[in-house]
Structures are given as structure tokens and as C-alpha cells.
Amino acid sequence: MNKQLAEFQEHLLKSKKIVALVGAGLSASSGLPVFRGSQGMWKNYNSIDLATPDAFYIDPGLVWQFYSWRRYSALQAKPNKGHEALAKLSHIPELKYLTISQNVDGLLNRKRNDELDDTYIHDPRKLYEIHGSLFTLKCTSFMCNHVERNNFHQPLTPVLEDTEFEYLNKGKKRSREDEGSVQEQNIDPIDIISRQDTFASTSSSPQFQPVKTIDEKNLPRCPICEGLMRPGVVWFGESLPLDLITGIDNFIEHGEAPDLILVIGTSGTVYPANSYVERVKLKGGKVAIFNIDIDDDVVEGKVDRVWGFKGDAAELLPLALEPLIGKI
Ligand SMILES: [Zn+2]
């Protein structure tokens, strides 16, 4: 590990052009329930069934309730030092740099707290969120296509207010009965999920917050044309945004070749991630993987031009990048 790290840092300091490829593993230690959002159930719905253009066309109110809950959950999480390390990298003026993020959680666009300066937020010009963002809203009117980025307002409209919670807030009820325990009043829904076992064992399983029927006019509307806004994420059955894919292609293919690709919180083996890794290698660049799960051969330094740093990317990344970004 130390020999690999020394080699990596030596190469890092010589690098003039770097690409980072980011997956869910980077946000895992921020406490985001990724396993639920991506493939789990929400209330009695399969999340995958709600993340489609058809679902939104049939019942935009239902889909917005699901996304209101996801936005709320993401807002409970805070950016970690891994996010901050990439933000710092994006602000180094002499470095040609690009982050390709597969996450929709918006954590690269927020600060851990307001006292931190703006170098803790990723340079938006160097951040390509290829799966979109929970905090982007897009107008559904074909003639308009207005896009609003980094809208962290919650709830987005008054009618979505109590739909942020997946479960009825049992903590609230209980604290009313038991007047002494004021701290119980604002129990986080994620906390309640994690206590599911406790509820089950006392045979009082949590009740879902009922799904509401919402009139379209009470959902987020476009400030330009008043059309219906939709979540700015890439849904199943939709293609990745062409402008971003073209931008990434140009970055990798044109001008000098990338010296390095950082593969963070993802195995890098699934399309399009794997294609970027292969192309950077093909152009003579090196690969550094930061992930919980890495092939043993890579970790042991047996794979040509690939370093593997196994563990929590949020901890490893700031240390590995320290010679370039300073101490976080
Ligand atoms: Zn519009």
C-alpha cells in the first residue's frame, strides 16, 4: 500500500490532465441509503417502476412524492472529505480536470457547513453528472426545456411537504404521549428505517405515510412557461445526456492525453465507466481505483498501470491527493 501510494503520488504531481469517475461508494460514508434509492422499495412500490418516463406520464404526483422523499434523504446527508477532495482538485487552475459523476445526490454541489469557502464546492464547469441530479428540475414542455440546477429548496411545493417522509413519524406521536422526551420529536426517517427491526419485534411495524393524489397544478411548475417540471435525473429507458457524453469524449480525445483516471467508489467495470477507463489507458494514462471492493491482483500491484486503494473512498482519497490539494 505505501509503495503504491508513493508511486501514485509521484505520478499525481506530474499529471497535467486528470479525469475522475465517481460512483455510489463515494457517498456511502455520508450516510446515504443508496441500497434503497437505487433498487429497493419505496412504500409499496418498486423504485425502478417509479423511475421511468411512463410512470411520470401516468401519475406525476406519485413520482414527485417519491423524488421528494429522495431529495429529503439526500439533504440529510452531508458531503464528506472525499467530495471535498474532488472539489479542491476542480479548483486547481493549472490542472485540466473533469469529474464524471454517476451519482444523483448533489453532494459535490454542497458544502458540509457554511463556514467553508467555495473551494469546497466542485467547479460546476468541470462536473458532469451523467445520470442527472435530484436537485435539477427540467421543464417537460418540448418548446421550453428550461433547466434549473442546484435547487435545494425543500419541499419544492407546499403540497409535497409531508410526503418527504416514507413512514408516519412515530417518534412525533410517541413524544406527544410521553411529554418528557422532547428530543424524540424530530426523528429522522432514515433512523426509523434502521429501527425497523425494533418495531417488528414489538409487533408495531411502521406505517407508511399514505400516498396522496396530487393535482398537477400543485406540483413544481416552470418559472418560464408554467409547464410541469420533472426531476432532472436520467430515468430507465432514457439515454445519457448527449451534450455531456460529447463533452467527455472531447476532453479525453482532444488535446493532450489524460495522465490519470481516478475511479472512485465504483468498480469501473460497468458501461460507460469501463469505456472511459479503457480509453485513458489506451492513450497512455494510468488508473487509480479507490473502492471497498477491488480485485486482489490490482491491490497487490500486479496489474500494469493500475493502482488499487481498497477501503472507504471518503477516507483514502483526501490522503492520496494531499500532495496536490493540501490537507483537508
Ligand atoms: Zn418551461
Side-chain angles (χ1 to χ4, degrees), residues 139-141 143-146 221-229:
C139 179
T140 56
S141 162
M143 301 302 284
C144 175
N145 285 327
H146 173 65
R221 309 301 300 194
C222 175
I224 310 294
C225 76
E226 294 184 4
L228 177 65
M229 297 293 266

Side-chain angles (χ1 to χ4, degrees), residues 137-155:
L137 275 66
K138 293 198 302 189
C139 179
T140 56
S141 162
F142 181 72
M143 301 302 284
C144 175
N145 285 327
H146 173 65
V147 176
E148 200 176 318
R149 290 183 204 285
N150 296 321
N151 178 334
F152 297 111
H153 190 73
Q154 189 74 2

Side-chain angles (χ1 to χ4, degrees), residues 165-269:
F165 303 96
E166 187 173 19
Y167 295 102
L168 286 171
N169 200 333
K170 290 236 165 187
K172 224 176 219 171
K173 271 191 188 163
R174 198 167 47 204
S175 67
R176 257 187 238 122
E177 288 158 16
D178 171 14
E179 287 176 6
S181 57
V182 182
Q183 296 105 316
E184 291 268 79
Q185 269 178 350
N186 286 315
I187 284 186
D188 190 279
I190 296 167
D191 191 29
I192 290 183
I193 293 164
S194 68
R195 290 199 213 168
Q196 220 163 339
D197 292 344
T198 319
F199 278 112
S201 64
T202 57
S203 73
S204 85
S205 49
Q207 297 287 304
F208 288 132
Q209 188 82 249
V211 174
K212 293 199 280 190
T213 304
I214 300 178
D215 195 316
E216 256 191 56
K217 69 176 194 301
N218 296 321
L219 292 172
R221 309 301 300 194
C222 175
I224 310 294
C225 76
E226 294 184 4
L228 177 65
M229 297 293 266
R230 59 163 273 185
V233 294
V234 177
W235 280 330
F236 293 101
E238 294 184 315
S239 38
L240 300 178
L242 190 61
D243 54 336
L244 298 190
I245 299 304
T246 310
I248 297 167
D249 285 347
N250 286 340
F251 185 82
I252 294 178
E253 300 298 332
H254 296 168
E256 54 207 296
D259 302 289
L260 177 65
I261 182 164
L262 308 167
V263 181
I264 304 156
T266 168
S267 65
T269 54

